Amino acid sequence: MAEPDLLKTSVGGIVRHLVTTAGGALATSGVIAADDVTVLVGAVMALFGIAWSILQKWLAARNPGSTTLSAALPSTILAVVLALAVAGCSAVPKPRDAKDALAIAEYTVQGLTDTALAATQAGLIRGSAASEALDKLSALRGGLAIARAAVANGDPDADLKVRALDGLVLALSTFLEARGVSGPGSPPPQSESPSQPRPQASGLVVSLFSGRELRHVR
Amino acid sequence: MSVSPATINLALQLALTLLRGVQNGRLTLERIEALVGGAQAEGREITEAELRALAAETDSKLDALEAALKGEAAAPN
């Protein structure tokens, strides 16, 4: 990863954690609703992307000999696309039963898989990183098999087994995020304590999408 | 600071991948709404056949990703 990208990823991660922590504290004290924490984080991170782009351009203007394209271009494109995506994305229905939850999980895995495949084909995941991703993929497949069997057999714990997929999706999402790739995150929660905001699944894109999901799911 | 063409190419690939991530996210939401929301709107459960078709589609995508990752894992760094 290029140095400016690495820097942006690092700084962005710190900003996200700070905002998440602050949002959790505000939700706990009742200042804002728990639903709004993820939306807040997503909004701040989108603004961060725009601010980062402006900063890079400003630095480039002050130092004409330097090139900061690798940082400025992705963040600029990302900021515009995120704004469009968030404005147009649809609501996610609340799962009524384990079948609904499994269907949502299947779609989420598909979206994440598509993004991971694109990243792999673009050469962003190579060598030992590919091996690590294979391990996470294997675990995800195992979890999917268990969840599918539980739903098909009418297992009373099917709901829990489907929700366990969240962690496996999170593992792959986090892995992708560490390499600067964001994709659709974990399935929407079926039940959570209102005082505990959902952890961020992966990156800017997922923050914003998760925010949309939580707003409509709860 | 100078940036090599390889770095610019990597940045472009990253940007394209992020764009695909956004598109995939939107598509995911739309498809969830279509199936789960559609079934709920009709007052019915998701059928076994729908779940099986969905599982087959997921497995197909996972197979493609696994093959790509195995290729990258085996390739020299």
Side-chain angles (χ1 to χ4, degrees):
Chain A
M1 183 180 291
E3 185 180 339
D5 292 329
L6 185 61
L7 181 62
K8 183 187 175 187
T9 302
S10 303
V11 175
I14 293 168
V15 170
R16 183 165 53 246
H17 284 297
L18 287 174
V19 177
T20 303
T21 303
L26 290 172
T28 303
S29 60
V31 176
I32 60 174
D35 290 13
D36 294 331
V37 173
T38 320
V39 178
L40 173 69
V41 174
V44 170
M45 294 311 296
L47 290 174
F48 170 78
I50 295 169
W52 188 270
S53 174
I54 293 171
L55 175 65
Q56 290 298 316
K57 287 177 179 173
W58 180 71
L59 289 175
R62 285 191 61 186
N63 303 287
S66 68
T67 304
T68 54
L69 179 64
S70 59
L73 184 61
S75 55
T76 303
I77 294 173
L78 181 62
V80 173
V81 172
L82 281 176
L84 295 173
V86 171
C89 73
S90 58
V92 173
K94 180 178 180 178
R96 295 169 305 187
D97 53 25
K99 284 183 180 177
D100 281 2
L102 179 59
I104 292 171
E106 295 269 10
Y107 280 130
T108 305
V109 170
Q110 287 184 21
L112 182 62
T113 303
D114 285 342
T115 303
L117 181 59
T120 306
Q121 290 171 338
L124 298 173
I125 301 175
R126 291 176 171 173
S128 59
S131 298
E132 193 181 338
L134 277 169
D135 290 342
K136 298 185 187 312
L137 193 63
S138 175
L140 182 57
R141 293 191 102 145
L144 262 178
I146 292 170
R148 286 171 183 168
V151 171
N153 297 331
D155 187 334
D157 291 332
D159 190 57
L160 283 175
K161 289 174 179 172
V162 173
R163 286 178 59 192
L165 284 170
D166 276 15
L168 299 169
V169 170
L170 180 65
L172 188 53
S173 297
T174 306
F175 172 81
L176 289 175
E177 181 189 14
R179 278 143 191 86
V181 179
S182 294
S186 52
Q190 294 160 49
S191 61
E192 284 184 339
S193 166
S195 63
Q196 292 183 342
R198 181 180 178 76
Q200 293 302 293
S202 72
L204 292 174
V205 177
V206 173
S207 296
L208 292 169
F209 279 126
S210 297
R212 273 320 247 216
E213 290 171 6
L214 289 175
R215 169 170 290 191
H216 294 284
V217 164
R218 287 185 179 164
Chain B
M1 179 180 66
S2 63
V3 178
S4 69
T7 301
I8 294 174
N9 181 55
L10 180 65
L12 288 172
Q13 292 296 334
L14 179 60
L16 287 172
T17 305
L18 288 169
L19 285 173
R20 288 196 187 96
V22 172
Q23 289 172 334
N24 292 336
R26 286 201 59 184
L27 184 61
T28 298
L29 291 171
E30 288 170 5
R31 296 187 70 197
I32 290 171
E33 172 63 24
L35 179 63
V36 181
Q40 290 181 0
E42 294 171 11
R44 65 173 177 85
E45 285 190 344
I46 293 174
T47 65
E48 298 292 336
E50 285 171 331
L51 277 180
R52 276 198 299 273
L54 200 50
E57 195 175 353
T58 306
D59 286 341
S60 173
K61 288 177 183 291
L62 288 171
D63 287 343
L65 175 59
E66 187 173 338
L69 286 172
K70 281 182 177 174
E72 289 294 338
N77 284 321

